[in-house]
Amino acid sequence: MTKMAEALEAIMLICFGLSWPMNAYKNFKARTAAGTSWQFILLITLGYFAGIAAKFVSGAINWVLVVYFINVVCIAANWVVYFRNCAIDRERDRLRKEEDVQDAMAQARAAR
């Protein structure tokens, strides 16, 4: 692989990779998994692992592999935030249901 090809591959990976920390931060602040597609994150994760595997299979192990691993770390952060937000959503739903039951009981008592 030529140095130019390596540089272009690294630029592509850096461009894609920069979006993941921003996405993780945005989702962390949102505190909800609503609007987050785990299927999309999985597809991207599989793509990065395929790229890493291609490096090993082709014997083109070079410095660009480091960029792949940095991207995998960034996508892993998105997985952590996604599962954290799912837990927050479940707890929020549980509390809402509990409040709904209490409201219904209060209304039933008031109706007597």
PDB file of all heavy atoms in Angstrom, residues 56-92:
ATOM      1  N   PHE A  56      -5.201  -7.292   8.723  1.00  0.00           N
ATOM      2  CA  PHE A  56      -4.447  -8.486   9.091  1.00  0.00           C
ATOM      3  C   PHE A  56      -4.430  -9.514   7.965  1.00  0.00           C
ATOM      4  O   PHE A  56      -3.396 -10.111   7.683  1.00  0.00           O
ATOM      5  CB  PHE A  56      -5.003  -9.098  10.382  1.00  0.00           C
ATOM      6  CG  PHE A  56      -4.622  -8.324  11.610  1.00  0.00           C
ATOM      7  CD1 PHE A  56      -5.534  -7.479  12.229  1.00  0.00           C
ATOM      8  CD2 PHE A  56      -3.352  -8.430  12.150  1.00  0.00           C
ATOM      9  CE1 PHE A  56      -5.189  -6.758  13.351  1.00  0.00           C
ATOM     10  CE2 PHE A  56      -2.987  -7.715  13.270  1.00  0.00           C
ATOM     11  CZ  PHE A  56      -3.909  -6.873  13.880  1.00  0.00           C
ATOM     12  N   VAL A  57      -5.578  -9.717   7.320  1.00  0.00           N
ATOM     13  CA  VAL A  57      -5.664 -10.701   6.240  1.00  0.00           C
ATOM     14  C   VAL A  57      -4.771 -10.308   5.067  1.00  0.00           C
ATOM     15  O   VAL A  57      -4.105 -11.159   4.468  1.00  0.00           O
ATOM     16  CB  VAL A  57      -7.135 -10.876   5.782  1.00  0.00           C
ATOM     17  CG1 VAL A  57      -7.234 -11.674   4.497  1.00  0.00           C
ATOM     18  CG2 VAL A  57      -7.954 -11.534   6.881  1.00  0.00           C
ATOM     19  N   SER A  58      -4.756  -9.011   4.754  1.00  0.00           N
ATOM     20  CA  SER A  58      -3.959  -8.563   3.599  1.00  0.00           C
ATOM     21  C   SER A  58      -2.481  -8.386   3.941  1.00  0.00           C
ATOM     22  O   SER A  58      -1.656  -8.204   3.049  1.00  0.00           O
ATOM     23  CB  SER A  58      -4.513  -7.234   3.068  1.00  0.00           C
ATOM     24  OG  SER A  58      -4.273  -6.191   4.001  1.00  0.00           O
ATOM     25  N   GLY A  59      -2.169  -8.425   5.222  1.00  0.00           N
ATOM     26  CA  GLY A  59      -0.791  -8.202   5.639  1.00  0.00           C
ATOM     27  C   GLY A  59      -0.396  -6.734   5.592  1.00  0.00           C
ATOM     28  O   GLY A  59       0.778  -6.399   5.703  1.00  0.00           O
ATOM     29  N   ALA A  60      -1.378  -5.857   5.437  1.00  0.00           N
ATOM     30  CA  ALA A  60      -1.111  -4.418   5.359  1.00  0.00           C
ATOM     31  C   ALA A  60      -1.191  -3.796   6.754  1.00  0.00           C
ATOM     32  O   ALA A  60      -1.901  -2.823   6.978  1.00  0.00           O
ATOM     33  CB  ALA A  60      -2.114  -3.745   4.418  1.00  0.00           C
ATOM     34  N   ILE A  61      -0.463  -4.369   7.675  1.00  0.00           N
ATOM     35  CA  ILE A  61      -0.456  -3.857   9.043  1.00  0.00           C
ATOM     36  C   ILE A  61       0.493  -2.667   9.090  1.00  0.00           C
ATOM     37  O   ILE A  61       1.695  -2.805   8.882  1.00  0.00           O
ATOM     38  CB  ILE A  61      -0.034  -4.963  10.034  1.00  0.00           C
ATOM     39  CG1 ILE A  61      -1.034  -6.123   9.946  1.00  0.00           C
ATOM     40  CG2 ILE A  61       0.050  -4.410  11.440  1.00  0.00           C
ATOM     41  CD1 ILE A  61      -0.623  -7.346  10.708  1.00  0.00           C
ATOM     42  N   ASN A  62      -0.101  -1.490   9.327  1.00  0.00           N
ATOM     43  CA  ASN A  62       0.688  -0.259   9.354  1.00  0.00           C
ATOM     44  C   ASN A  62       0.089   0.696  10.379  1.00  0.00           C
ATOM     45  O   ASN A  62      -0.832   0.330  11.118  1.00  0.00           O
ATOM     46  CB  ASN A  62       0.746   0.375   7.948  1.00  0.00           C
ATOM     47  CG  ASN A  62      -0.636   0.589   7.351  1.00  0.00           C
ATOM     48  OD1 ASN A  62      -1.588   0.930   8.059  1.00  0.00           O
ATOM     49  ND2 ASN A  62      -0.757   0.378   6.050  1.00  0.00           N
ATOM     50  N   TRP A  63       0.558   1.906  10.391  1.00  0.00           N
ATOM     51  CA  TRP A  63       0.143   2.892  11.383  1.00  0.00           C
ATOM     52  C   TRP A  63      -1.346   3.221  11.295  1.00  0.00           C
ATOM     53  O   TRP A  63      -1.940   3.671  12.275  1.00  0.00           O
ATOM     54  CB  TRP A  63       0.974   4.171  11.249  1.00  0.00           C
ATOM     55  CG  TRP A  63       0.795   4.851   9.906  1.00  0.00           C
ATOM     56  CD1 TRP A  63       1.488   4.605   8.753  1.00  0.00           C
ATOM     57  CD2 TRP A  63      -0.145   5.873   9.602  1.00  0.00           C
ATOM     58  NE1 TRP A  63       1.036   5.405   7.739  1.00  0.00           N
ATOM     59  CE2 TRP A  63       0.034   6.205   8.229  1.00  0.00           C
ATOM     60  CE3 TRP A  63      -1.111   6.545  10.331  1.00  0.00           C
ATOM     61  CZ2 TRP A  63      -0.733   7.171   7.592  1.00  0.00           C
ATOM     62  CZ3 TRP A  63      -1.877   7.514   9.698  1.00  0.00           C
ATOM     63  CH2 TRP A  63      -1.681   7.824   8.341  1.00  0.00           C
ATOM     64  N   VAL A  64      -1.983   2.990  10.164  1.00  0.00           N
ATOM     65  CA  VAL A  64      -3.412   3.279  10.005  1.00  0.00           C
ATOM     66  C   VAL A  64      -4.239   2.392  10.928  1.00  0.00           C
ATOM     67  O   VAL A  64      -5.317   2.781  11.385  1.00  0.00           O
ATOM     68  CB  VAL A  64      -3.840   3.111   8.528  1.00  0.00           C
ATOM     69  CG1 VAL A  64      -5.327   3.360   8.346  1.00  0.00           C
ATOM     70  CG2 VAL A  64      -3.035   4.048   7.628  1.00  0.00           C
ATOM     71  N   LEU A  65      -3.713   1.229  11.262  1.00  0.00           N
ATOM     72  CA  LEU A  65      -4.405   0.317  12.171  1.00  0.00           C
ATOM     73  C   LEU A  65      -4.677   0.990  13.518  1.00  0.00           C
ATOM     74  O   LEU A  65      -5.710   0.745  14.143  1.00  0.00           O
ATOM     75  CB  LEU A  65      -3.572  -0.953  12.354  1.00  0.00           C
ATOM     76  CG  LEU A  65      -4.243  -2.143  12.994  1.00  0.00           C
ATOM     77  CD1 LEU A  65      -5.487  -2.556  12.217  1.00  0.00           C
ATOM     78  CD2 LEU A  65      -3.272  -3.306  13.064  1.00  0.00           C
ATOM     79  N   VAL A  66      -3.778   1.857  13.940  1.00  0.00           N
ATOM     80  CA  VAL A  66      -3.969   2.599  15.193  1.00  0.00           C
ATOM     81  C   VAL A  66      -5.232   3.456  15.117  1.00  0.00           C
ATOM     82  O   VAL A  66      -5.998   3.534  16.077  1.00  0.00           O
ATOM     83  CB  VAL A  66      -2.730   3.479  15.504  1.00  0.00           C
ATOM     84  CG1 VAL A  66      -2.988   4.392  16.683  1.00  0.00           C
ATOM     85  CG2 VAL A  66      -1.513   2.606  15.737  1.00  0.00           C
ATOM     86  N   VAL A  67      -5.480   4.062  13.963  1.00  0.00           N
ATOM     87  CA  VAL A  67      -6.676   4.900  13.790  1.00  0.00           C
ATOM     88  C   VAL A  67      -7.931   4.036  13.893  1.00  0.00           C
ATOM     89  O   VAL A  67      -8.929   4.445  14.484  1.00  0.00           O
ATOM     90  CB  VAL A  67      -6.627   5.679  12.467  1.00  0.00           C
ATOM     91  CG1 VAL A  67      -7.829   6.607  12.340  1.00  0.00           C
ATOM     92  CG2 VAL A  67      -5.332   6.481  12.354  1.00  0.00           C
ATOM     93  N   TYR A  68      -7.880   2.825  13.333  1.00  0.00           N
ATOM     94  CA  TYR A  68      -9.012   1.905  13.475  1.00  0.00           C
ATOM     95  C   TYR A  68      -9.297   1.636  14.948  1.00  0.00           C
ATOM     96  O   TYR A  68     -10.449   1.669  15.386  1.00  0.00           O
ATOM     97  CB  TYR A  68      -8.734   0.568  12.779  1.00  0.00           C
ATOM     98  CG  TYR A  68      -9.053   0.540  11.307  1.00  0.00           C
ATOM     99  CD1 TYR A  68      -8.039   0.658  10.361  1.00  0.00           C
ATOM    100  CD2 TYR A  68     -10.357   0.360  10.850  1.00  0.00           C
ATOM    101  CE1 TYR A  68      -8.316   0.608   9.002  1.00  0.00           C
ATOM    102  CE2 TYR A  68     -10.641   0.312   9.494  1.00  0.00           C
ATOM    103  CZ  TYR A  68      -9.612   0.440   8.578  1.00  0.00           C
ATOM    104  OH  TYR A  68      -9.898   0.389   7.235  1.00  0.00           O
ATOM    105  N   PHE A  69      -8.240   1.359  15.709  1.00  0.00           N
ATOM    106  CA  PHE A  69      -8.431   1.047  17.128  1.00  0.00           C
ATOM    107  C   PHE A  69      -8.950   2.249  17.913  1.00  0.00           C
ATOM    108  O   PHE A  69      -9.772   2.095  18.816  1.00  0.00           O
ATOM    109  CB  PHE A  69      -7.155   0.472  17.741  1.00  0.00           C
ATOM    110  CG  PHE A  69      -6.908  -0.951  17.340  1.00  0.00           C
ATOM    111  CD1 PHE A  69      -5.783  -1.283  16.609  1.00  0.00           C
ATOM    112  CD2 PHE A  69      -7.797  -1.960  17.667  1.00  0.00           C
ATOM    113  CE1 PHE A  69      -5.546  -2.597  16.218  1.00  0.00           C
ATOM    114  CE2 PHE A  69      -7.577  -3.274  17.283  1.00  0.00           C
ATOM    115  CZ  PHE A  69      -6.448  -3.595  16.558  1.00  0.00           C
ATOM    116  N   ILE A  70      -8.506   3.438  17.573  1.00  0.00           N
ATOM    117  CA  ILE A  70      -9.033   4.646  18.222  1.00  0.00           C
ATOM    118  C   ILE A  70     -10.525   4.771  17.928  1.00  0.00           C
ATOM    119  O   ILE A  70     -11.330   5.087  18.815  1.00  0.00           O
ATOM    120  CB  ILE A  70      -8.260   5.905  17.770  1.00  0.00           C
ATOM    121  CG1 ILE A  70      -6.833   5.863  18.317  1.00  0.00           C
ATOM    122  CG2 ILE A  70      -8.981   7.173  18.203  1.00  0.00           C
ATOM    123  CD1 ILE A  70      -5.903   6.913  17.738  1.00  0.00           C
ATOM    124  N   ASN A  71     -10.919   4.499  16.688  1.00  0.00           N
ATOM    125  CA  ASN A  71     -12.335   4.556  16.327  1.00  0.00           C
ATOM    126  C   ASN A  71     -13.150   3.505  17.078  1.00  0.00           C
ATOM    127  O   ASN A  71     -14.286   3.770  17.482  1.00  0.00           O
ATOM    128  CB  ASN A  71     -12.518   4.399  14.822  1.00  0.00           C
ATOM    129  CG  ASN A  71     -12.163   5.659  14.061  1.00  0.00           C
ATOM    130  OD1 ASN A  71     -11.871   6.694  14.644  1.00  0.00           O
ATOM    131  ND2 ASN A  71     -12.179   5.579  12.747  1.00  0.00           N
ATOM    132  N   VAL A  72     -12.571   2.325  17.265  1.00  0.00           N
ATOM    133  CA  VAL A  72     -13.268   1.278  18.016  1.00  0.00           C
ATOM    134  C   VAL A  72     -13.484   1.732  19.459  1.00  0.00           C
ATOM    135  O   VAL A  72     -14.554   1.505  20.038  1.00  0.00           O
ATOM    136  CB  VAL A  72     -12.501  -0.066  17.943  1.00  0.00           C
ATOM    137  CG1 VAL A  72     -13.038  -1.062  18.952  1.00  0.00           C
ATOM    138  CG2 VAL A  72     -12.585  -0.637  16.538  1.00  0.00           C
ATOM    139  N   VAL A  73     -12.510   2.381  20.046  1.00  0.00           N
ATOM    140  CA  VAL A  73     -12.668   2.910  21.406  1.00  0.00           C
ATOM    141  C   VAL A  73     -13.797   3.950  21.434  1.00  0.00           C
ATOM    142  O   VAL A  73     -14.636   3.951  22.342  1.00  0.00           O
ATOM    143  CB  VAL A  73     -11.343   3.513  21.926  1.00  0.00           C
ATOM    144  CG1 VAL A  73     -11.561   4.301  23.200  1.00  0.00           C
ATOM    145  CG2 VAL A  73     -10.309   2.414  22.136  1.00  0.00           C
ATOM    146  N   CYS A  74     -13.846   4.804  20.419  1.00  0.00           N
ATOM    147  CA  CYS A  74     -14.894   5.824  20.360  1.00  0.00           C
ATOM    148  C   CYS A  74     -16.271   5.200  20.179  1.00  0.00           C
ATOM    149  O   CYS A  74     -17.237   5.632  20.810  1.00  0.00           O
ATOM    150  CB  CYS A  74     -14.616   6.815  19.224  1.00  0.00           C
ATOM    151  SG  CYS A  74     -13.188   7.864  19.535  1.00  0.00           S
ATOM    152  N   ILE A  75     -16.374   4.188  19.347  1.00  0.00           N
ATOM    153  CA  ILE A  75     -17.672   3.537  19.151  1.00  0.00           C
ATOM    154  C   ILE A  75     -18.051   2.759  20.406  1.00  0.00           C
ATOM    155  O   ILE A  75     -19.229   2.659  20.754  1.00  0.00           O
ATOM    156  CB  ILE A  75     -17.702   2.660  17.872  1.00  0.00           C
ATOM    157  CG1 ILE A  75     -19.142   2.393  17.414  1.00  0.00           C
ATOM    158  CG2 ILE A  75     -17.022   1.348  18.056  1.00  0.00           C
ATOM    159  CD1 ILE A  75     -19.767   3.507  16.698  1.00  0.00           C
ATOM    160  N   ALA A  76     -17.062   2.244  21.135  1.00  0.00           N
ATOM    161  CA  ALA A  76     -17.338   1.560  22.401  1.00  0.00           C
ATOM    162  C   ALA A  76     -17.938   2.542  23.405  1.00  0.00           C
ATOM    163  O   ALA A  76     -18.848   2.181  24.165  1.00  0.00           O
ATOM    164  CB  ALA A  76     -16.064   0.924  22.955  1.00  0.00           C
ATOM    165  N   ALA A  77     -17.461   3.766  23.402  1.00  0.00           N
ATOM    166  CA  ALA A  77     -18.044   4.792  24.282  1.00  0.00           C
ATOM    167  C   ALA A  77     -19.508   5.019  23.933  1.00  0.00           C
ATOM    168  O   ALA A  77     -20.349   5.211  24.825  1.00  0.00           O
ATOM    169  CB  ALA A  77     -17.258   6.094  24.174  1.00  0.00           C
ATOM    170  N   ASN A  78     -19.839   4.976  22.653  1.00  0.00           N
ATOM    171  CA  ASN A  78     -21.237   5.122  22.243  1.00  0.00           C
ATOM    172  C   ASN A  78     -22.080   3.963  22.753  1.00  0.00           C
ATOM    173  O   ASN A  78     -23.226   4.163  23.155  1.00  0.00           O
ATOM    174  CB  ASN A  78     -21.339   5.223  20.713  1.00  0.00           C
ATOM    175  CG  ASN A  78     -21.072   6.619  20.232  1.00  0.00           C
ATOM    176  OD1 ASN A  78     -21.992   7.408  20.055  1.00  0.00           O
ATOM    177  ND2 ASN A  78     -19.807   6.956  20.033  1.00  0.00           N
ATOM    178  N   TRP A  79     -21.523   2.752  22.740  1.00  0.00           N
ATOM    179  CA  TRP A  79     -22.251   1.609  23.289  1.00  0.00           C
ATOM    180  C   TRP A  79     -22.503   1.795  24.785  1.00  0.00           C
ATOM    181  O   TRP A  79     -23.605   1.528  25.271  1.00  0.00           O
ATOM    182  CB  TRP A  79     -21.488   0.306  23.055  1.00  0.00           C
ATOM    183  CG  TRP A  79     -21.660  -0.261  21.692  1.00  0.00           C
ATOM    184  CD1 TRP A  79     -20.712  -0.357  20.720  1.00  0.00           C
ATOM    185  CD2 TRP A  79     -22.854  -0.814  21.124  1.00  0.00           C
ATOM    186  NE1 TRP A  79     -21.245  -0.933  19.591  1.00  0.00           N
ATOM    187  CE2 TRP A  79     -22.558  -1.222  19.813  1.00  0.00           C
ATOM    188  CE3 TRP A  79     -24.147  -0.994  21.607  1.00  0.00           C
ATOM    189  CZ2 TRP A  79     -23.509  -1.815  18.980  1.00  0.00           C
ATOM    190  CZ3 TRP A  79     -25.091  -1.582  20.771  1.00  0.00           C
ATOM    191  CH2 TRP A  79     -24.772  -1.976  19.483  1.00  0.00           C
ATOM    192  N   VAL A  80     -21.495   2.251  25.517  1.00  0.00           N
ATOM    193  CA  VAL A  80     -21.646   2.475  26.958  1.00  0.00           C
ATOM    194  C   VAL A  80     -22.745   3.499  27.217  1.00  0.00           C
ATOM    195  O   VAL A  80     -23.621   3.290  28.067  1.00  0.00           O
ATOM    196  CB  VAL A  80     -20.303   2.920  27.590  1.00  0.00           C
ATOM    197  CG1 VAL A  80     -20.489   3.417  29.009  1.00  0.00           C
ATOM    198  CG2 VAL A  80     -19.284   1.779  27.537  1.00  0.00           C
ATOM    199  N   VAL A  81     -22.721   4.601  26.490  1.00  0.00           N
ATOM    200  CA  VAL A  81     -23.736   5.645  26.661  1.00  0.00           C
ATOM    201  C   VAL A  81     -25.114   5.109  26.282  1.00  0.00           C
ATOM    202  O   VAL A  81     -26.107   5.374  26.969  1.00  0.00           O
ATOM    203  CB  VAL A  81     -23.382   6.909  25.843  1.00  0.00           C
ATOM    204  CG1 VAL A  81     -24.533   7.905  25.822  1.00  0.00           C
ATOM    205  CG2 VAL A  81     -22.124   7.560  26.398  1.00  0.00           C
ATOM    206  N   TYR A  82     -25.187   4.335  25.212  1.00  0.00           N
ATOM    207  CA  TYR A  82     -26.472   3.771  24.785  1.00  0.00           C
ATOM    208  C   TYR A  82     -27.080   2.901  25.892  1.00  0.00           C
ATOM    209  O   TYR A  82     -28.254   3.062  26.252  1.00  0.00           O
ATOM    210  CB  TYR A  82     -26.299   2.950  23.499  1.00  0.00           C
ATOM    211  CG  TYR A  82     -27.553   2.199  23.124  1.00  0.00           C
ATOM    212  CD1 TYR A  82     -28.633   2.867  22.554  1.00  0.00           C
ATOM    213  CD2 TYR A  82     -27.664   0.832  23.366  1.00  0.00           C
ATOM    214  CE1 TYR A  82     -29.798   2.181  22.229  1.00  0.00           C
ATOM    215  CE2 TYR A  82     -28.821   0.146  23.047  1.00  0.00           C
ATOM    216  CZ  TYR A  82     -29.884   0.825  22.482  1.00  0.00           C
ATOM    217  OH  TYR A  82     -31.038   0.147  22.175  1.00  0.00           O
ATOM    218  N   PHE A  83     -26.283   1.981  26.450  1.00  0.00           N
ATOM    219  CA  PHE A  83     -26.813   1.095  27.493  1.00  0.00           C
ATOM    220  C   PHE A  83     -27.123   1.864  28.778  1.00  0.00           C
ATOM    221  O   PHE A  83     -28.100   1.560  29.468  1.00  0.00           O
ATOM    222  CB  PHE A  83     -25.866  -0.078  27.747  1.00  0.00           C
ATOM    223  CG  PHE A  83     -25.889  -1.078  26.629  1.00  0.00           C
ATOM    224  CD1 PHE A  83     -24.743  -1.335  25.893  1.00  0.00           C
ATOM    225  CD2 PHE A  83     -27.050  -1.745  26.288  1.00  0.00           C
ATOM    226  CE1 PHE A  83     -24.760  -2.243  24.848  1.00  0.00           C
ATOM    227  CE2 PHE A  83     -27.083  -2.658  25.241  1.00  0.00           C
ATOM    228  CZ  PHE A  83     -25.932  -2.909  24.520  1.00  0.00           C
ATOM    229  N   ARG A  84     -26.334   2.867  29.094  1.00  0.00           N
ATOM    230  CA  ARG A  84     -26.634   3.733  30.242  1.00  0.00           C
ATOM    231  C   ARG A  84     -27.963   4.435  30.031  1.00  0.00           C
ATOM    232  O   ARG A  84     -28.819   4.480  30.916  1.00  0.00           O
ATOM    233  CB  ARG A  84     -25.525   4.754  30.423  1.00  0.00           C
ATOM    234  CG  ARG A  84     -25.848   5.862  31.406  1.00  0.00           C
ATOM    235  CD  ARG A  84     -25.215   7.143  30.876  1.00  0.00           C
ATOM    236  NE  ARG A  84     -25.513   8.291  31.685  1.00  0.00           N
ATOM    237  CZ  ARG A  84     -26.037   9.403  31.197  1.00  0.00           C
ATOM    238  NH1 ARG A  84     -26.346   9.512  29.937  1.00  0.00           N
ATOM    239  NH2 ARG A  84     -26.256  10.429  31.966  1.00  0.00           N
ATOM    240  N   ASN A  85     -28.176   4.973  28.833  1.00  0.00           N
ATOM    241  CA  ASN A  85     -29.413   5.678  28.548  1.00  0.00           C
ATOM    242  C   ASN A  85     -30.612   4.735  28.540  1.00  0.00           C
ATOM    243  O   ASN A  85     -31.706   5.130  28.956  1.00  0.00           O
ATOM    244  CB  ASN A  85     -29.309   6.446  27.226  1.00  0.00           C
ATOM    245  CG  ASN A  85     -28.455   7.683  27.359  1.00  0.00           C
ATOM    246  OD1 ASN A  85     -28.072   8.089  28.452  1.00  0.00           O
ATOM    247  ND2 ASN A  85     -28.131   8.298  26.235  1.00  0.00           N
ATOM    248  N   CYS A  86     -30.422   3.504  28.085  1.00  0.00           N
ATOM    249  CA  CYS A  86     -31.505   2.513  28.157  1.00  0.00           C
ATOM    250  C   CYS A  86     -31.909   2.269  29.604  1.00  0.00           C
ATOM    251  O   CYS A  86     -33.106   2.181  29.918  1.00  0.00           O
ATOM    252  CB  CYS A  86     -31.079   1.197  27.502  1.00  0.00           C
ATOM    253  SG  CYS A  86     -31.034   1.243  25.704  1.00  0.00           S
ATOM    254  N   ALA A  87     -30.919   2.180  30.487  1.00  0.00           N
ATOM    255  CA  ALA A  87     -31.208   1.980  31.911  1.00  0.00           C
ATOM    256  C   ALA A  87     -31.952   3.195  32.481  1.00  0.00           C
ATOM    257  O   ALA A  87     -32.902   3.036  33.265  1.00  0.00           O
ATOM    258  CB  ALA A  87     -29.920   1.729  32.690  1.00  0.00           C
ATOM    259  N   ILE A  88     -31.546   4.388  32.098  1.00  0.00           N
ATOM    260  CA  ILE A  88     -32.237   5.600  32.552  1.00  0.00           C
ATOM    261  C   ILE A  88     -33.671   5.598  32.041  1.00  0.00           C
ATOM    262  O   ILE A  88     -34.607   5.922  32.792  1.00  0.00           O
ATOM    263  CB  ILE A  88     -31.484   6.870  32.088  1.00  0.00           C
ATOM    264  CG1 ILE A  88     -30.169   7.006  32.857  1.00  0.00           C
ATOM    265  CG2 ILE A  88     -32.340   8.116  32.264  1.00  0.00           C
ATOM    266  CD1 ILE A  88     -29.237   8.094  32.321  1.00  0.00           C
ATOM    267  N   ASP A  89     -33.872   5.213  30.780  1.00  0.00           N
ATOM    268  CA  ASP A  89     -35.227   5.150  30.218  1.00  0.00           C
ATOM    269  C   ASP A  89     -36.095   4.149  30.963  1.00  0.00           C
ATOM    270  O   ASP A  89     -37.267   4.424  31.255  1.00  0.00           O
ATOM    271  CB  ASP A  89     -35.185   4.786  28.729  1.00  0.00           C
ATOM    272  CG  ASP A  89     -34.656   5.907  27.853  1.00  0.00           C
ATOM    273  OD1 ASP A  89     -34.614   7.075  28.304  1.00  0.00           O
ATOM    274  OD2 ASP A  89     -34.271   5.604  26.696  1.00  0.00           O
ATOM    275  N   ARG A  90     -35.546   2.969  31.274  1.00  0.00           N
ATOM    276  CA  ARG A  90     -36.314   1.958  32.014  1.00  0.00           C
ATOM    277  C   ARG A  90     -36.714   2.474  33.387  1.00  0.00           C
ATOM    278  O   ARG A  90     -37.860   2.290  33.817  1.00  0.00           O
ATOM    279  CB  ARG A  90     -35.502   0.664  32.158  1.00  0.00           C
ATOM    280  CG  ARG A  90     -35.504  -0.216  30.935  1.00  0.00           C
ATOM    281  CD  ARG A  90     -34.929  -1.592  31.215  1.00  0.00           C
ATOM    282  NE  ARG A  90     -33.571  -1.553  31.732  1.00  0.00           N
ATOM    283  CZ  ARG A  90     -32.479  -1.464  30.988  1.00  0.00           C
ATOM    284  NH1 ARG A  90     -32.582  -1.407  29.675  1.00  0.00           N
ATOM    285  NH2 ARG A  90     -31.292  -1.449  31.547  1.00  0.00           N
ATOM    286  N   GLU A  91     -35.789   3.135  34.073  1.00  0.00           N
ATOM    287  CA  GLU A  91     -36.092   3.673  35.401  1.00  0.00           C
ATOM    288  C   GLU A  91     -37.139   4.787  35.304  1.00  0.00           C
ATOM    289  O   GLU A  91     -38.058   4.856  36.121  1.00  0.00           O
ATOM    290  CB  GLU A  91     -34.818   4.203  36.068  1.00  0.00           C
ATOM    291  CG  GLU A  91     -35.028   4.775  37.456  1.00  0.00           C
ATOM    292  CD  GLU A  91     -35.518   3.773  38.485  1.00  0.00           C
ATOM    293  OE1 GLU A  91     -35.482   2.551  38.229  1.00  0.00           O
ATOM    294  OE2 GLU A  91     -35.961   4.212  39.564  1.00  0.00           O
ATOM    295  N   ARG A  92     -37.022   5.629  34.302  1.00  0.00           N
ATOM    296  CA  ARG A  92     -37.991   6.706  34.095  1.00  0.00           C
ATOM    297  C   ARG A  92     -39.387   6.119  33.838  1.00  0.00           C
ATOM    298  O   ARG A  92     -40.377   6.588  34.402  1.00  0.00           O
ATOM    299  CB  ARG A  92     -37.549   7.590  32.934  1.00  0.00           C
ATOM    300  CG  ARG A  92     -38.350   8.850  32.758  1.00  0.00           C
ATOM    301  CD  ARG A  92     -37.856   9.703  31.600  1.00  0.00           C
ATOM    302  NE  ARG A  92     -36.479  10.153  31.782  1.00  0.00           N
ATOM    303  CZ  ARG A  92     -35.469   9.893  30.956  1.00  0.00           C
ATOM    304  NH1 ARG A  92     -35.658   9.193  29.860  1.00  0.00           N
ATOM    305  NH2 ARG A  92     -34.265  10.347  31.215  1.00  0.00           N
TER     306      ARG A  92
END
